[in-house]
């Protein structure tokens, strides 16, 4: 008999210790322990929580921002790496699943930073990572795009778990690629972006995207969004004098949990730091799928055909000479896998 999990999820809405990866990782570990003490089995963190978001891309020119890119590159982390290990230990100590947003440094390029979601199991082991496929607009000044190798759903004891970063949650094909792998629990990580146009409600837009994914897929979505701290504002005031006015705008952050009917479960958070909790019962995903199951009976796969290229994109392909024989007799073979 099918028995689907029930558990408590936690969505963190907080600021990093800006551009300090180890201190932010320690803060994340503390928040994991707090959430676990309140019964959470899944803790979701904001986009690039470690060590923070490149707000300078939105408020100054690329040349001025280049010095800040260097700061971020130096503060970014390897996955796996010592900063991620801090959070992995907290996951292991508490038995929590954790999804953590990081700026991931490339091991082979000083100029490549990835917007990465790290999936951590309750034993503290890395389940995998997802690199944001397409940085949004001004973010292209900072991040390198990921590839299809990370469009994966993880089969865990709390259900089939996937996630996307910020604007990816508007990418219909990326979302369908996860739903098509049986995703039932989706983490949507965001940052607070107060520098939107005057008539744009960022918090409402975040909620709308989560509702769309949950309602279309008949799944639960856990939304975790960062906040803009006084520390971040003060740092950006050294970039442009009006940074405070641009970054203090309200209704810029939403964190909460959306059910498979597209409704908010429990009380969300708008702008303020805190942790949102909600009870997840995956049985609630069954009945809505009887009406609309877009990865099952409510689709026409003889008409529509989505193909995902999961081959890692690498800087180069390497071939090595065989140990026996001279160069003129050497055989060469392609080495599979990511070069970085």
């Amino acid at each position: 008999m099918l028995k689907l999990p029930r558990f408590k999820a936690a969505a963190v809405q907080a600021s990093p210790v800006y551009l300090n990866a180890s201190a932010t990782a320690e803060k994340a570990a503390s928040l994991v322990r707090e959430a676990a003490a309140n019964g959470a089995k899944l803790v979701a963190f904001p986009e690039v929580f470690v060590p923070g978001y490149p707000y300078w891309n939105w408020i100054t020119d690329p040349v001025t921002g280049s010095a800040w890119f260097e700061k971020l590159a130096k503060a970014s982390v390897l996955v796996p790496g010592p900063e991620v290990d801090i959070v992995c230990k907290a996951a292991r100590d508490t038995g929590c699943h954790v999804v953590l947003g990081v700026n991931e440094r490339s091991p082979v390029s000083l100029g490549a930073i990835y917007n990465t979601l790290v999936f951590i199991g309750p034993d503290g082991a890395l389940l995998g990572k997802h690199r944001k496929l397409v940085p949004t607009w001004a973010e292209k000044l900072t991040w390198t795009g990921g590839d299809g190798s990370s469009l994966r759903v993880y089969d865990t004891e709390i259900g089939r778990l996937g996630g996307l970063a910020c604007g990816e949650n508007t990418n219909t094909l990326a979302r369908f690629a996860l739903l098509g792998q049986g995703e039932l629990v989706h983490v949507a990580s965001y940052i607070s972006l107060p520098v939107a146009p005057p008539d744009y409600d960022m918090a409402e837009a975040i909620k709308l995207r989560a509702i769309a994914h949950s309602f279309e897929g008949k799944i639960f979505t856990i939304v975790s969004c960062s906040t803009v701290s006084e520390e971040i504002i003060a740092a950006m005031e050294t970039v442009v004098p009006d940074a405070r006015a641009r970054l203090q705008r309200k209704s810029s952050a939403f964190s909460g949990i959306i059910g498979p009917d597209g409704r908010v479960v429990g009380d969300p958070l708008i702008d303020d730091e805190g942790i949102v909790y909600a009870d997840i019962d995956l049985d609630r995903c069954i009945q809505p799928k009887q009406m609309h199951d877009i990865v099952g009976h409510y689709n026409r796969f003889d008409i529509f055909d989505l193909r995902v290229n999961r081959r890692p994109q690498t800087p180069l392909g390497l071939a090595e000479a065989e140990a026996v024989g001279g160069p003129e007799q050497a055989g060469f073979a392609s080495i599979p896998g990511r070069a970085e």
Side-chain angles (χ1 to χ4, degrees):
M1 180 176 177
L2 176 64
K3 291 186 178 180
L4 294 172
R6 297 182 181 183
F7 64 95
K8 181 175 286 188
V12 172
Q13 184 158 287
S15 295
V17 182
Y18 201 48
L19 300 186
N20 186 326
S22 59
T24 304
E26 293 287 359
K27 180 174 182 176
S30 176
L31 289 165
V32 168
R33 294 187 173 94
E34 177 183 343
N38 287 306
K41 290 298 181 184
L42 169 64
V43 186
F45 283 91
E47 179 183 28
V48 292
F49 187 65
V50 181
Y53 183 80
Y55 283 103
W56 55 87
N57 284 347
W58 298 92
I59 62 176
T60 192
D61 62 90
V63 174
T64 303
S66 182
W68 286 86
F69 173 86
E70 182 175 341
K71 294 176 191 286
L72 181 61
K74 291 179 176 179
S76 296
V77 304
L78 294 172
V79 182
E83 295 84 5
V84 173
D85 286 346
I86 293 171
V87 184
C88 287
K89 183 179 185 303
R92 181 174 62 252
D93 291 345
T94 60
C96 275
H97 299 74
V98 177
V99 181
L100 177 70
V102 304
N103 286 278
E104 181 192 1
R105 174 164 50 91
S106 166
V108 300
S109 171
L110 295 177
I113 308 173
Y114 297 96
N115 178 332
T116 299
L117 289 181
V118 181
F119 294 81
I120 304 169
D123 59 353
L126 292 179
L127 299 174
K129 63 185 179 183
H130 168 65
R131 291 170 168 174
K132 189 174 185 179
L133 299 177
V134 181
T136 303
W137 196 5
E139 296 171 354
K140 291 181 173 68
L141 292 168
T142 293
W143 292 318
T144 299
D147 57 45
S149 66
S150 68
L151 271 179
R152 297 182 182 273
V153 169
Y154 302 97
D155 194 4
T156 75
E157 63 188 50
I158 59 169
R160 295 188 65 81
L161 173 67
L164 295 171
C166 201
E168 288 189 309
N169 290 284
T170 64
N171 187 321
T172 305
L173 299 185
R175 294 192 296 107
F176 188 86
L178 298 183
L179 294 174
Q181 297 174 64
E183 183 185 50
L184 289 175
V185 181
H186 180 79
V187 171
S189 68
Y190 283 88
I191 49 88
S192 175
L193 191 61
V195 294
D199 60 347
Y200 190 78
D201 188 324
M202 184 68 180
E204 189 65 23
I206 293 172
K207 182 175 74 171
L208 177 63
R209 297 174 194 182
I211 288 172
H213 189 58
S214 277
F215 187 79
E216 288 177 1
K218 315 307 181 193
I219 69 170
F220 285 89
T221 296
I222 292 87
V223 185
S224 175
C225 187
S226 63
T227 58
V228 181
S229 64
E230 176 62 30
E231 179 187 28
I232 293 172
I233 292 174
M236 292 303 97
E237 282 184 311
T238 68
V239 180
V240 292
D242 64 341
R244 181 172 298 275
R246 298 198 204 184
L247 294 174
Q248 280 188 330
R249 179 178 170 184
K250 297 301 182 183
S251 196
S252 296
F254 171 95
S255 292
I257 288 90
I258 312 296
D261 57 0
R263 291 186 291 182
V264 177
V265 181
D267 298 319
L269 267 179
I270 307 293
D271 294 332
D272 297 328
E273 283 212 10
I275 303 177
V276 176
Y277 298 93
D279 291 323
I280 306 295
D281 180 359
L282 295 185
D283 280 344
R284 289 184 54 198
C285 300
I286 297 175
Q287 289 190 23
K289 281 183 174 288
Q290 184 181 16
M291 181 176 290
H292 296 133
D293 183 2
I294 62 172
V295 296
H297 63 81
Y298 206 74
N299 214 324
R300 287 290 301 276
F301 300 115
D302 57 327
I303 299 173
F304 304 112
D305 181 10
L306 174 62
R307 302 187 183 196
V308 178
N309 177 9
R310 272 190 169 175
R311 289 190 296 271
Q313 304 302 298
T314 58
L316 73 166
L318 295 176
E320 300 289 350
E322 292 182 354
V324 179
E328 69 281 358
Q329 298 172 334
F332 292 85
S334 176
I335 297 178
R338 181 177 294 279
E340 50 179 336

